[in-house]
Every structure is written in structure tokens, then in C-alpha cells.
Amino acid sequence: MSKLLIKNGTIVNSNDTYVSDILVENGKIVKIDKDISISDCDVIDATGKHVLPGLIDLHVHLREPGLEYKEDIESGSKAAVHGGFTGIACMPNTKPVCDNAVTVGYIVNRAKEVGLCKVYPIGAATKGLDGAELAEIGKMKKLGAVAVSDDGKPVATGQMTRLVMEYAADFSIKLHAHCEDKSLSGDGVVNEGKYSTFVGLKGIPNVSETAGVVREIAIAENFNKEVHICHVSTKESVDAIRQAKARGVKVTAETCPHYFTLTDEAIVNFDTSTKVNPPLRAESDRLAIIEGLRDGTIDAIATDHAPHHVDDKRVEYAYAAFGITGLETSFALSYTKLVKENGFTMSKLVKLMSENPAKIINVDGGKIEVGECADLAIVDLGADWVVDKTKFYSKGKNTPFDGMKVSGQVFATVFGGKIVYKEDKIYG
Amino acid sequence: MLSKKDLLGLNDVPKEEIELILDTAVNMKKLLKQGVKKLPNLQGKSVITLFYENSTRTRMSFELASKFMSAVAANISASSSSVAKGETLIDTGKTLDSMCTDVIIIRHPVGGAPALLAQNVKASVINAGDGMNEHPSQGLLDMLTMKERFGELKGLKVAIVGDIKHSRVAKSDIFGLTKMGAEVNLFAPSTLMPSGIDSFGAKICSSREEALSGANVVMGLRLQLERMKGGLFPSVAEYHEFYGINDSHLKLADSNAIVMHPGPVNRGVELSSSAIDADVSLINEQVKSGVAVRMAILSLLTKK
């Protein structure tokens, strides 16, 4: 019988914030009260710190099976708990593609062996991500898939998108849509605008994403199905989602810390760690993303954690892989940019990083209450620190945030009532 | 002396250094015109051209400039080296560094590749054209040609007409000329005009007439015919009719205006044959300026 007592932390839920102790027994929260005193158990002194429901990330690339030189389930899980995440949903663009129950089962089992956090596989929407035939969505759901996606690219056609939305709904899961009109993106590698012209790299216009978003919304609306929009980066996408929600379309959306932290100005030195799809956009887009998060148009912050080996990035910009590693900077960037600089409350942040993500994939978590699973992130909001990619647990050091000063640091992560991370140490 | 190890683009070269290069090139050109083709400036230095794209005049021009100044010069083409076996740019650069190379002159299809190379080698790197980014020695030779004709660059009106979007020459000309106080007018089909180019000091014109009116320099840019396959323009004939320059268009320019083109020219496409061969055409003079400017760059970059 394992017990854990978290003393004197400020508990943050999406609807309230208060100072209290939390007693955990057998992985569950059994008591929340002031001055719980109990002997013979582990204690975390959370005085002056904030206790959040464990963060949940809807969009992570764990690269296993097949691309373990970039990341694997173990290194990705370590990175997750280092970043305060107790649940991560992983995308199916592995080798082989996770488009079948066997691979879903493998990921679930391997994640359990590692045992640091929950890993929720997202299955491919179509076989091989090819957009031609439906993947075995029912079988994948049965083994633990929480959503389907052809992420990395859009579901190839409008017709296939319709079929995926309809069929997935039969199994109570939905499409997580990578929205992009590939013909508009061409072989672009950065946002189209004055900075793409300045550096002479091919541009990807805003409408490349927005045209995709509008298509997914229109199909979901026509057939009255749910859709979740991945990694929103443009002002026009935010507008389209806002209008769709007002009409009652069953649409949810996520964005990523890099879209509300950086702009395409960051590309001027050809630093390939800034290469990501969708690309870093203009300041007007960055501001619109923040407003979209504020007014609830965008429901969740996901990382699109896309770890790459250094060899995939130490090449000419156009040849470098797309992607930013994100699990270990997400909380600090979100706290710094949204709470400190833009007046979001901690409750709002919990909603964006835990409660809403849990709802979108229909899993437990997102609140601190008696009876809930003890998945918690204990954070020190007073800590100012400098991002150092060499300290990442992720194999992917591809971050444009290295050396950036940020505020808010994960102090400890509790998963299933067990301390899995505390003060720079992982406890496996 | 130049403040940086490398010449990657005119965007980050200060005005004074552009002036220094041009002044040095004026002297080099005088010597060339006197038939002097052996100077000691690069004695004991090795220069390698590393070209990942085809080139005749730029490569030859750099090679001759090196040899005229007594350097040891060698060439690598992407197709005939280990590049074809998939060696990375950084590894290739380190290999050349290990061979005691003093200057690497690189042409590459991707913007920023020379900068990546420069960060990873001890040798000086000269950008001989990278993707749609810059072609600084071309920008400098264009400025030298203009300066010799008009005395100074300040106040000149330069019209650049053609495929601006894919043109690293236009980029370097815009960065260099605006820094030196010249005005740059741009005209192209909208499909070949890059977004936001006007934020770098050039003016986007809505007609050939507007661009050319009162211009001191009329510069055509090469239209790569494969752009047609990408749907960026419908036909050569239509392009020439609406965006090409012939004698009657030249009459819109200043009475002393000159015609320029970075070459190679598509006759009858961006410029009519008569415009190319006109007395006011300095296209061949540009080539001569090219050798002189490259001598100046090599000499200044290797001077300790």
C-alpha cells in the first residue's frame, strides 16, 4: 500500500484555485484537506508551488517503432514527465505506420513497461497514411487508439475525409486533422512573406493551412460529425474555427507553443531548428492565436513534439526535416507567454493543457478531485530559467528555444500516485 | 580589408565595404584593360569552386580571377564528386578545409547553404549564388558597371524587369543599390513577384511604363523556361508581349539609359535582340566587370 502526501500546494483546477494538502493512496486521490497529517508515507513539500492536474499532450511523435534513432517510447516518456505531462497521444507516422491493431497494441504495452506516463496511440486514418483505404479503425480503437489521423499530411481527398469522419464516429473516436492544401504548399519550407523573400527560401502561404481547415469544417458540418483541427498556425484558421463554433459545428482545435511564441522572423539565420510544418507565421498570426486561445476558439495546447536526430537538421534548410521538439519547453513557454505576458489565469492554462485535451480524446484526467487518478504536475511559477537543450531527456535536441529565458518550471510529476520526476531526476 | 571572413550576401555588407570593393575593382579593371593578367595578390593561396548547379560565366570568371592573381585554383562539380554519393555539405566543407583551402566559392540550389558552409569551415566562403537568396558578386559587378558609366550610384534609377521571384541577382541588386542610395523599380507578372519585396526598399510597379519611365538603367532578368511548366506564365510569346523589353520601351527610359542583363540571355524573350545588341547595351561590359569585381573580392578577403 503506497501513500503519498503533497503538502501545502496551491491546487489549480479549471474552475478554482486553493491551498491544500493532497493525500494519495493506491494511485488515487483519497483526501484533499488542510493540514493532513499522516506518518509513514512519502511527502512532497509543495509550499509556494502550484499543483496542476497532469498535463496531457494531444500531439506527440514518439518515433517508435522504426525511427528509434530520433526518439523512442522510453526517451519520449522521460521527456514527457520532465515537462509535467502524464498523458501523451502519439501520432501514427512511424515505420511501419501505426495503421493496425498490432502496432497500437505494441505501443500501449511498451509504454506500460516504461511506466512513466500514459501513452495514447492515435491510429492512422487510412492504410499507410496513403489516403486510399480506411485503416482498421475499429480494431485499433479496441486496442487503445484514442483518435485517428494521417498527420504529417492531410487525409488525401475530401471524399476520404468524409468516410473517415463517418466511420470513426461509429467507434466514438474522431479525426485529428492535419489541415493543408498540398498544392498551395508546393515545396515550400517557411512561411510565405517578407522573410521568405528575404532569405530566398520557398514559402508556404497561410491559405495552404486555412483551405484545409475550411474543408474539414465543411465536411464535418455537412455530415454532422466531429473533427479536431491540429496545430493551428494562421489568423484565418482561427477565424474559420471561431465562425464554425458559432454555427454549432462540432469542431475542436489545438495550437502549439511555437505558434504563440515565435514568428517567421526567427528564420533569418537559416537555423533549421525553426523549420516546422505548418511554418512559424507572422506577428499578426501569433497575436490571433493568442486571442483564439483566450476566447476558447482554440481548445488546447499541444506540442507537436517532433524529435529529430541532429543529422536530419544539420543540412541545408530546404533539406532539413520539419519539426520542433516540444515536451520539455511547453509548460514554461505557455506560462511565460500566456499567463505572464498575456494575463491568462492558471485555471485557464490548466483547461488548455489538461482538462480540454482529456475531453477531446475522452480519457481520464484534467482535474484534481477526490477519487481521481493521481496524475499531477507540481510547478514552481517563481523559477526563472534558461532553456538548455543538452538537459532534455528527449533524443531530439531540435529546438529554437535553446538559450531562451523562461519562467515557470516543473518541480515534480506524479503519475498513478508515484513520483516519476522530481528536481532533475527521473524515477522509473 | 573586409570585416567578415566570408561574402555571403550584400544584405550584410556595410556600405563602406561595398565602396572599398568597387574602388578596388575599378583598379583591377584598369589593369585588365592594360592586358595585365598576372598579379601576386593570391600567391600561395588556394581557391576551390564548389558548384552544385550549372554555371559557365560565374565559375569561369572566378577561376580566371583567381589565376590572374596567382592562386592555385581547382573546381568541384556536384555531379563528379562524392556529393553524388550523398556526402553532406558540412562534411564536404571540412574535407576541403583539411586540404588547406583558403577560399571556397559555392553555388547551391538552396538559400542559406553558403552560410551553413561558412559556419563550419575555416576557409573564406564566397557565395556564387544560393537558391533564391543572393548572388553578391553579380550585384557588385552590376554596381561597378553602373558606377563606371554614371560616376556614382546615388540617385540612379534602376528598373529591373523579369522573374524577380526566382532571382538571387535581383535580391543582391536591391540590397546593394538601395544601400548605395539608388532607386530600384521592379516589374514582373504577379506570379513572378515575391511577396514583401517592397519592404526592402524597392518599388513594385504596376506597368512596364511606370517601371521604365526615366530610368537610367534597364535591366532584364533571365526567364527560366521551365517556369512555364509550373504554370507561372502561359507562353514565351505572351511573356514577351506583355513583360519583354524592346526598342520602343527603351524610349521611355532616360535618354542616357543603359541596358543590362546578368546573362545568359533568351533573345526575344526578356529582351528583344535589338535591345541586346544596341549601343547602349552593356551586357558584355558586365562580364568584364565580373572578372575585376571577383579579383577585388578575392584579394580583399584573403588580405591579412
Side-chain angles (χ1 to χ4, degrees):
Chain A
M1 238 191 33
S2 64
K3 288 184 192 172
L4 173 67
L5 180 61
I6 300 163
K7 290 290 291 176
N8 213 21
T10 303
I11 296 171
V12 186
N13 277 315
S14 68
N15 53 359
D16 55 1
T17 302
Y18 56 97
V19 177
S20 190
D21 296 349
I22 300 172
L23 181 63
V24 174
E25 219 172 291
N26 292 330
K28 299 272 182 197
I29 297 170
V30 294
K31 193 173 180 187
I32 300 176
D33 207 346
K34 300 226 172 194
D35 304 320
I36 300 174
S37 117
I38 185 167
S39 57
D40 155 41
C41 80
D42 289 336
V43 177
I44 298 177
D45 179 6
T47 306
K49 300 188 172 63
H50 287 66
V51 184
L52 322 181
L55 307 180
I56 296 171
D57 191 339
L58 293 173
H59 197 135
V60 167
H61 297 272
L62 288 179
R63 308 299 190 199
E64 185 177 349
L67 298 163
E68 291 84 355
Y69 77 102
K70 292 176 191 271
E71 188 82 294
D72 58 34
I73 290 169
E74 183 177 357
S75 61
S77 297
K78 286 180 177 171
V81 298
H82 184 213
F85 291 92
T86 56
I88 52 178
C90 61
M91 283 295 176
N93 57 343
T94 47
K95 271 189 180 174
V97 169
C98 181
D99 60 359
N100 58 82
V102 173
T103 310
V104 170
Y106 169 78
I107 293 167
V108 169
N109 288 332
R110 179 71 194 120
K112 274 186 188 152
E113 276 173 22
V114 171
L116 291 170
C117 62
K118 287 189 190 117
V119 174
Y120 302 111
I122 294 177
T126 65
K127 285 176 193 157
L129 307 172
D130 286 338
E133 293 174 44
L134 283 176
E136 290 179 337
I137 294 173
K139 284 174 181 282
M140 291 194 291
K141 164 74 193 294
K142 199 170 156 191
L143 271 278
V146 295
V148 291
S149 180
D150 280 356
D151 184 55
K153 50 188 178 179
V155 177
T157 63
Q159 166 66 1
M160 185 50 71
T161 304
R162 169 195 178 166
L163 297 175
V164 169
M165 283 188 199
E166 290 183 322
Y167 188 78
D170 289 348
F171 296 92
S172 305
I173 60 176
K174 62 191 157 206
L175 173 66
H176 285 211
H178 170 115
C179 299
E180 183 177 5
D181 182 328
K182 284 283 183 189
S183 73
L184 285 164
S185 303
D187 45 8
V189 292
V190 295
N191 183 45
E192 181 175 321
K194 75 172 180 179
Y195 290 106
S196 64
T197 296
F198 181 68
V199 297
L201 291 168
K202 287 185 184 163
I204 300 173
N206 276 23
V207 67
S208 169
E209 171 182 301
T210 309
V213 169
V214 168
R215 182 188 80 169
E216 307 318 59
I217 287 171
I219 294 170
E221 185 169 22
N222 194 132
F223 302 103
N224 193 29
K225 297 297 175 208
E226 290 180 291
V227 67
H228 175 73
I229 308 292
C230 293
H231 44 54
V232 173
S233 73
T234 74
K235 177 181 185 298
E236 296 80 9
S237 296
V238 176
D239 290 342
I241 295 162
R242 186 179 287 123
Q243 289 158 15
K245 285 189 167 187
R247 292 197 303 275
V249 182
K250 295 171 186 167
V251 58
T252 54
E254 69 187 36
T255 188
C256 312
H258 39 271
Y259 299 122
F260 58 72
T261 305
L262 293 178
T263 66
D264 57 352
E265 193 178 353
I267 69 173
V268 297
N269 294 320
F270 302 101
D271 175 0
T272 56
S273 74
T274 63
K275 184 176 172 183
V276 61
N277 187 26
L280 300 174
R281 301 289 188 183
E283 178 66 3
S284 52
D285 296 299
R286 191 184 76 85
L287 296 174
I289 296 286
I290 292 172
E291 288 320 300
L293 286 162
R294 197 194 301 276
D295 72 10
T297 299
I298 300 174
D299 305 87
I301 296 167
T303 61
D304 196 1
H305 177 77
H308 287 292
H309 192 275
V310 63
D311 289 346
D312 300 328
K313 286 286 197 179
R314 255 170 66 88
V315 292
E316 296 87 327
Y317 201 98
Y319 305 158
F322 285 102
I324 290 175
T325 191
L327 283 167
E328 290 161 273
T329 48
S330 182
F331 175 75
L333 292 171
S334 301
Y335 174 71
T336 305
K337 288 288 154 185
L338 301 179
V339 178
K340 275 192 92 171
E341 292 180 15
N342 280 282
F344 285 40
T345 63
M346 281 304 292
S347 283
K348 173 71 173 176
L349 199 61
V350 161
K351 196 169 199 163
L352 292 168
M353 298 191 77
S354 183
E355 186 182 82
N356 285 349
K359 281 184 189 160
I360 287 166
I361 52 172
N362 194 25
V363 297
D364 290 339
K367 51 185 179 289
I368 298 176
E369 279 173 12
V370 170
E372 284 290 316
C373 197
D375 294 348
L376 303 165
I378 303 169
V379 297
D380 181 356
L381 301 184
D384 296 329
W385 57 289
V386 174
V387 176
D388 177 359
K389 65 184 178 185
T390 65
K391 296 205 169 131
F392 286 178
Y393 287 90
S394 171
K395 292 181 189 177
K397 314 298 180 192
N398 45 305
T399 175
F401 301 113
D402 192 43
M404 184 185 267
K405 275 188 182 168
V406 291
S407 301
Q409 193 163 35
V410 176
F411 171 76
T413 305
V414 174
F415 171 63
K418 206 168 141 272
I419 298 170
V420 285
Y421 169 79
K422 186 165 175 268
E423 291 177 281
D424 295 329
K425 280 205 186 70
I426 302 273
Y427 299 90
Chain B
M1 290 261 284
L2 301 178
S3 56
K4 290 188 176 154
K5 169 173 86 79
D6 313 292
L7 178 65
L8 302 177
L10 294 188
N11 173 59
D12 59 359
V13 179
K15 191 179 168 191
E16 304 71 50
E17 293 191 13
I18 290 179
E19 276 165 357
L20 173 63
I21 296 169
L22 294 180
D23 290 346
T24 309
V26 167
N27 289 330
M28 295 294 184
K29 202 164 169 186
K30 274 185 199 143
L31 290 169
L32 282 178
K33 284 188 171 165
Q34 289 162 16
V36 178
K37 281 177 255 175
K38 206 68 188 171
L39 296 170
N41 306 44
L42 263 71
Q43 191 132 37
K45 304 283 183 190
S46 61
V47 177
I48 291 184
T49 60
L50 173 62
F51 273 47
Y52 292 81
E53 277 184 347
N54 292 332
S55 157
T56 311
R57 70 191 67 208
T58 302
R59 181 174 205 148
M60 185 59 74
S61 178
F62 269 115
E63 187 175 342
L64 289 176
S66 307
K67 287 179 172 166
F68 290 171
M69 294 192 298
S70 310
V72 175
N75 301 310
I76 305 171
S77 300
S79 55
S80 64
S81 71
S82 55
V83 167
K85 295 173 205 151
E87 185 173 63
T88 68
L89 178 61
I90 293 174
D91 287 344
T92 302
K94 288 190 184 298
T95 302
L96 297 181
D97 237 10
S98 303
M99 295 173 180
C100 306
T101 306
D102 296 292
V103 182
I104 303 172
I105 297 157
I106 179 174
R107 170 167 288 191
H108 196 288
V110 176
L116 179 70
L117 180 66
Q119 285 156 19
N120 287 281
V121 296
K122 289 195 224 57
S124 289
V125 173
I126 299 174
N127 178 6
D130 60 333
M132 304 181 293
N133 185 31
E134 282 225 47
H135 190 354
S137 62
Q138 179 75 42
L140 288 162
L141 76 86
D142 288 344
M143 285 194 280
L144 175 63
T145 309
M146 293 177 209
K147 191 180 160 136
E148 285 190 319
R149 170 55 68 107
F150 297 105
E152 65 174 338
L153 297 167
K154 195 170 177 205
L156 279 187
K157 286 181 82 170
V158 179
I160 304 178
V161 180
D163 180 0
I164 314 282
K165 182 166 186 165
H166 300 95
S167 178
R168 51 201 177 204
V169 176
K171 287 273 302 293
S172 289
D173 280 338
I174 291 166
F175 287 143
L177 286 166
T178 53
K179 203 172 280 188
M180 304 311 286
E183 283 175 44
V184 181
N185 282 351
L186 305 175
F187 182 61
S190 292
T191 48
L192 294 173
M193 186 69 85
S195 32
I197 190 72
D198 48 339
S199 55
F200 306 110
K203 182 180 170 201
I204 297 175
C205 298
S206 52
S207 70
R208 198 160 33 191
E209 289 67 27
E210 185 191 352
L212 265 56
S213 174
N216 303 106
V217 179
V218 177
M219 187 186 295
L221 294 177
R222 180 175 170 77
L223 182 73
Q224 291 188 315
L225 301 182
E226 61 263 31
R227 304 288 177 214
M228 189 162 67
K229 287 188 203 129
L232 297 171
F233 69 97
S235 72
V236 165
E238 175 153 325
Y239 184 87
H240 186 65
E241 181 175 342
F242 294 100
Y243 301 96
I245 292 165
N246 61 28
D247 292 348
S248 68
H249 304 126
L250 289 179
K251 296 200 178 87
L252 298 164
D254 187 79
S255 54
N256 292 321
I258 58 172
V259 173
M260 294 175 68
H261 190 291
V265 191
N266 296 305
R267 285 184 175 266
V269 183
E270 57 266 15
L271 296 175
S272 68
S273 264
S274 56
I276 294 165
D277 298 330
D279 291 341
V280 296
S281 165
L282 295 190
I283 295 173
N284 291 321
E285 187 65 22
Q286 286 174 269
V287 178
K288 192 173 288 277
S289 297
V291 179
V293 148
R294 285 162 184 136
M295 288 169 75
I297 294 167
L298 284 164
S299 163
L300 291 166
L301 269 186
T302 54
K303 204 190 263 180
K304 284 276 142 50

